[in-house]
Amino acid sequence: DLDRSHSTRGIWVRTKARAWYKLQKPDTMEVLLPNDIVSSQEQLFLRTRAIFGLVSNICDMIGERRDLAKYLSGYISLHVIRSPWDSHRLLSPPEDALAKYPELSSEPFDLQLLRKEVPFVRKVLRGFHQSFTDDCTFVQGLVQMEKEYHQAFKRGEDWAIGRDNFDYLASALAAEKRSNRNAWGDVIDGKWPHLN
């Protein structure tokens, strides 16, 4: 389960005894999964880490910083009326700004990864805030993106089926840099996310 809150953000795993622990080092022990594939947390973690980073970046973009908490409704109201593409475009600085201010991120979140993982991300973001309803433009954009993903998957398009070709590590590292968080979701050196 992914925790989206600022202070306890991370990947949480539920044990058979119904206890929860925050994943900090994936287990290397291999187990038989329900789909008859033998795997370990470690083997599956890189993709999960990248997706977690994507969700974390989107939560940061929406405005979850404690010092901006009184403005949180304002950030959400801006993003519910924009599609994911529009939010991404508006917060991606032009090349000349990146050259002048190298500390800026080239994009607020990994749009390519969102296109690949939109079914999961849409589910996770659904409960983020009451304004993220099926009627809002951002969620409608995610629904449209999910339809495009399923159509591309049926057609066998590389971006939809070629998950092995996607650089999950590069995506995870970029997301962690944007959110100033480590792979487990902990804030690095007490710094807030670096939002454009």
Side-chain angles (χ1 to χ4, degrees), residues 4 62 72-73 76 80 125-133:
R4 300 167 305 229
I62 291 166
L72 180 58
S73 297
I76 288 176
V80 297
L125 289 178
R126 186 174 191 99
F128 181 70
H129 189 271
Q130 64 212 24
S131 296
F132 275 79
T133 65

Side-chain angles (χ1 to χ4, degrees), residues 13 32 73 82 85 111 183:
V13 180
L32 181 63
S73 297
R82 291 188 175 96
W85 299 281
L111 188 60

Side-chain angles (χ1 to χ4, degrees), residues 164-178:
D164 293 339
N165 297 330
F166 185 79
D167 192 345
Y168 286 101
L169 179 59
S171 180
L173 291 171
E176 290 158 11
K177 183 179 179 185
R178 281 188 290 269

Side-chain angles (χ1 to χ4, degrees), residues 6-26:
H6 183 77
S7 59
T8 58
R9 189 173 295 170
I11 300 168
W12 291 79
V13 180
R14 188 174 182 178
T15 67
K16 290 180 183 177
R18 298 184 182 255
W20 288 90
Y21 73 93
K22 186 174 180 181
L23 184 64
Q24 295 199 359
K25 183 178 187 306

Side-chain angles (χ1 to χ4, degrees), residues 13 21 23 25-33 35 37-48:
V13 180
Y21 73 93
L23 184 64
K25 183 178 187 306
D27 195 338
T28 57
M29 183 179 78
E30 291 189 339
V31 295
L32 181 63
L33 300 174
N35 56 359
I37 294 175
V38 176
S39 190
S40 68
Q41 284 180 344
E42 186 175 56
Q43 292 166 332
L44 300 173
F45 181 65
L46 189 54
R47 179 172 170 255
T48 303

Side-chain angles (χ1 to χ4, degrees), residues 28-192:
T28 57
M29 183 179 78
E30 291 189 339
V31 295
L32 181 63
L33 300 174
N35 56 359
D36 294 328
I37 294 175
V38 176
S39 190
S40 68
Q41 284 180 344
E42 186 175 56
Q43 292 166 332
L44 300 173
F45 181 65
L46 189 54
R47 179 172 170 255
T48 303
R49 177 180 169 188
I51 295 168
F52 167 66
L54 170 64
V55 170
S56 185
N57 288 166
I58 292 173
C59 289
D60 290 338
M61 177 190 76
I62 291 166
E64 199 175 298
R65 288 175 47 176
R66 255 184 280 141
D67 61 336
L68 298 176
K70 62 184 175 184
Y71 305 111
L72 180 58
S73 297
Y75 281 107
I76 288 176
S77 66
L78 290 174
H79 291 290
V80 297
I81 62 171
R82 291 188 175 96
S83 71
W85 299 281
D86 288 340
S87 291
H88 185 272
R89 182 181 48 78
L90 289 169
L91 292 173
S92 295
E95 292 298 321
D96 60 332
L98 289 171
K100 188 174 181 180
Y101 305 102
E103 69 277 6
L104 291 176
S105 298
S106 62
E107 59 182 353
F109 57 88
D110 189 333
L111 188 60
Q112 185 180 358
L113 180 60
L114 178 59
R115 289 180 68 211
K116 292 174 164 301
E117 303 295 345
V118 67
F120 178 78
V121 173
R122 188 166 74 91
K123 179 182 167 191
V124 171
L125 289 178
R126 186 174 191 99
F128 181 70
H129 189 271
Q130 64 212 24
S131 296
F132 275 79
T133 65
D134 290 340
D135 297 333
C136 84
T137 304
F138 195 90
V139 172
Q140 288 175 354
L142 292 175
V143 169
Q144 179 60 36
M145 201 177 274
E146 189 171 352
K147 287 178 186 175
E148 291 170 5
Y149 167 79
H150 288 300
Q151 291 167 353
F153 189 86
K154 286 179 186 176
R155 290 190 301 265
E157 293 182 22
D158 287 342
W159 73 269
I161 64 169
R163 292 176 193 243
D164 293 339
N165 297 330
F166 185 79
D167 192 345
Y168 286 101
L169 179 59
S171 180
L173 291 171
E176 290 158 11
K177 183 179 179 185
R178 281 188 290 269
S179 282
N180 286 321
R181 292 180 181 274
N182 64 21
W184 330 119
D186 296 332
V187 176
I188 298 171
D189 299 326
K191 294 179 182 175
W192 290 104

